[in-house]
């Protein structure tokens, strides 16, 4: 049963039964001991995805699913709909099924130690992908593959500093990602750090839009009502920036001109809005982690040492650069 998207409300037991029943090869005998599933050669990976909250996430899911197929890894996939309890249930069910490796993108940073300890005791290696956990115990996972979110926030702030020279006051509103998520915490921190260089830049309001387009729109509508002088929107992802564009237009203002917009991700819709002049700058965050994840999984299962941190390479885009890059953009 490859690539199965599971409903939210199933119990842990039902979840285990569901994911086990269609499996082509039986559950793996666990970690380095077997190197593959009993009754078949394929490595079995249990993957717990955050949800389907953004264009980035959709591209990431596709990347993981395609890479698993290419690598000959049997993928058990579940979507947690941005809820930590669903991810914990999914991880427990993967432990019960004795998959060979568990990979997951933790929706929030904290609260993982108990379930990760259960995986460790069951001898099932865990790989963090995309987002980090905040845990003292670094032995709970083998490696963390993903972006440097603090650097992304810094790049966003540096562009604003560079483009605010000569201004006496620049009022910024910030649309934060999901509360408690690594990219929300780190992108806020990196941006704040960079704008220290320009005291005329002030963050006058900052609230979560949950990384969704509708969340970004709603929060922006409220910001526009209570703040007459907004110069810049800093959105922690493209989708919230796209929602903000709708709110700005509905308020009779011109996005990209009356109010400048900076976002992070560089997914197709974001890049299109950048090329159209509605967004001013995008910091790239690559969702194409699938191939690297499968490579790391194979190494971990073979007992090879892997680096404890693998950082994704990424760039930034101005409006002109977006126009040039769009035709070849894969996601
Ligand atoms: O930027 C956002 C998504 O964790 C890097 O999650 C990821 C973020 C991405 O919802 O669009």
């Amino acid at each position: 049963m490859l690539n199965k998207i599971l409903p939210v409300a199933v119990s842990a037991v039902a979840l285990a039964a569901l994911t086990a029943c269609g499996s082509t090869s039986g559950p793996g005998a666990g970690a380095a001991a077997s190197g593959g599933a009993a009754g078949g050669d394929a490595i079995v990976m249990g993957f717990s995805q955050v949800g389907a909250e953004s264009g980035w996430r959709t591209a990431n899911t596709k990347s993981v699913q395609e890479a698993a197929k290419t690598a000959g890894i049997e993928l058990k996939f579940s979507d947690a709909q941005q809820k930590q309890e669903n991810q914990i249930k999914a991880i427990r069910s993967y432990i019960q099924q004795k998959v060979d490796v568990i990979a997951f993108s933790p929706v929030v940073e904290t609260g993982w130690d108990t379930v990760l300890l259960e995986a460790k005791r069951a001898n099932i290696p865990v790989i963090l992908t995309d987002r980090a956990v905040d845990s003292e115990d670094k032995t709970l996972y083998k490696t963390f593959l993903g972006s440097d979110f603090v650097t992304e926030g810094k790049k966003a702030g540096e562009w604003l500093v560079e483009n605010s020279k000569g201004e006496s006051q620049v009022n910024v509103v910030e649309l934060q990602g999901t509360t408690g998520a690594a990219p929300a915490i780190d992108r806020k921190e990196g941006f704040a750090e960079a704008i220290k260089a320009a005291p005329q830049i002030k963050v006058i309001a900052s609230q979560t839009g949950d990384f969704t387009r509708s969340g970004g729109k709603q929060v922006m509508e409220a910001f526009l009502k209570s703040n007459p002088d907004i110069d810049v929107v800093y959105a922690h992802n493209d989708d919230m920036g796209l929602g903000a564009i709708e709110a700005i237009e509905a308020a009779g203002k011109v996005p990209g001109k009356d109010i400048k917009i900076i976002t992070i991700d560089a997914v197709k819709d974001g890049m299109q809005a950048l090329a159209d002049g509605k967004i001013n700058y995008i910091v790239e965050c690559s969702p194409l982690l699938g191939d690297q994840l499968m490579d790391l999984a194979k190494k971990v299962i073979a007992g090879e040492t892997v680096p404890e941190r693998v950082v994704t390479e990424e760039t930034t885009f101005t409006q002109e650069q977006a126009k040039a890059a769009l035709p070849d953009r894969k996601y």
Side-chain angles (χ1 to χ4, degrees):
M1 182 175 103
L2 293 175
N3 311 338
K4 177 92 186 172
I5 299 183
L6 296 165
V8 224
V10 287
S11 73
V13 176
L15 190 74
L18 252 179
T19 47
C21 65
S23 178
T24 46
S25 51
S34 78
D41 293 335
I43 290 170
V44 179
M45 172 187 282
F47 184 89
S48 169
Q49 181 60 291
V50 167
E53 73 284 1
S54 64
W56 190 100
R57 190 64 54 197
T58 307
N60 179 247
T61 293
K62 193 165 167 250
S63 167
V64 170
Q65 291 176 333
E66 286 177 358
K69 259 186 211 143
T70 310
I73 290 182
E74 186 193 335
L75 188 70
K76 293 177 183 293
F77 180 91
S78 59
D79 172 341
Q81 311 217 343
Q82 297 230 69
K83 293 203 175 66
Q84 182 172 34
E85 69 256 37
N86 291 340
Q87 284 200 299
I88 291 174
K89 270 183 203 162
I91 293 169
R92 289 211 166 111
S93 100
Y94 295 145
I95 297 171
Q96 275 175 23
Q97 293 172 65
K98 299 188 169 64
V99 298
D100 298 304
V101 57
I102 292 172
F104 83 115
S105 173
V107 58
V108 291
E109 278 191 338
T110 55
W112 298 104
D113 284 29
T114 308
V115 72
L116 292 185
L117 202 58
E118 287 166 24
K120 191 179 168 186
R121 291 206 175 116
N123 239 338
I124 301 175
V126 171
I127 299 177
L128 301 178
T129 157
D130 161 35
R131 297 184 182 178
V133 300
D134 184 2
S135 171
E136 305 258 292
D137 185 354
K138 306 288 176 230
T139 69
L140 293 178
Y141 53 90
K142 298 288 178 197
T143 179
F144 164 37
L145 163 69
S147 308
D148 181 337
F149 301 133
V150 177
T151 300
E152 290 172 351
K154 266 193 195 143
K155 288 181 188 167
E158 279 160 9
W159 182 86
L160 187 58
V161 169
E162 197 51 41
N163 287 273
S164 301
K165 290 196 173 134
E167 306 274 347
S168 56
Q169 176 146 354
V170 180
N171 292 335
V172 181
V173 294
E174 180 178 32
L175 295 169
Q176 294 180 37
T178 304
T179 305
I185 295 166
D186 295 352
R187 287 171 182 171
K188 186 176 200 308
E189 183 191 317
F191 185 80
E193 179 70 34
I195 62 167
K196 274 191 198 149
Q200 80 275 25
I201 301 174
K202 294 198 168 59
V203 178
I204 58 167
S206 179
Q207 213 176 295
T208 179
D210 221 10
F211 277 132
T212 65
R213 209 174 281 211
S214 59
K217 184 177 178 198
Q218 245 177 34
V219 175
M220 192 60 202
E221 281 165 357
F223 282 167
L224 284 161
K225 278 193 192 121
S226 46
N227 306 284
D229 296 319
I230 299 170
D231 301 305
V232 175
V233 174
Y234 166 45
H236 289 186
N237 78 344
D238 288 352
D239 280 80
M240 292 191 294
L242 293 163
I245 289 174
E246 290 175 32
I248 292 168
E249 286 175 339
K253 296 193 173 178
V254 183
K257 298 220 161 56
D258 297 335
I259 299 180
K260 297 213 163 70
I261 303 179
I262 307 165
T263 66
I264 298 177
D265 273 357
V267 293
K268 262 243 165 74
D269 290 355
M271 291 288 273
Q272 188 61 57
L274 181 62
D276 293 344
K278 295 185 177 194
I279 292 179
N280 301 78
Y281 191 63
I282 300 185
V283 177
E284 184 185 43
C285 176
S286 176
L288 305 181
L289 305 176
D291 290 332
Q292 276 172 297
L293 173 61
M294 299 309 149
D295 274 1
L296 286 167
K298 284 184 176 173
K299 286 191 177 139
V300 162
I301 288 168
E304 289 174 37
T305 39
V306 292
E308 63 186 46
R309 177 79 172 97
V310 182
V311 185
T312 322
E313 271 181 39
E314 28 217 21
T315 182
T316 57
F317 294 97
T318 60
Q319 293 174 337
E320 287 314 310
Q321 288 165 334
K323 279 182 207 158
L326 252 178
D328 302 322
R329 206 74 187 150
K330 292 205 183 62
Y331 56 89

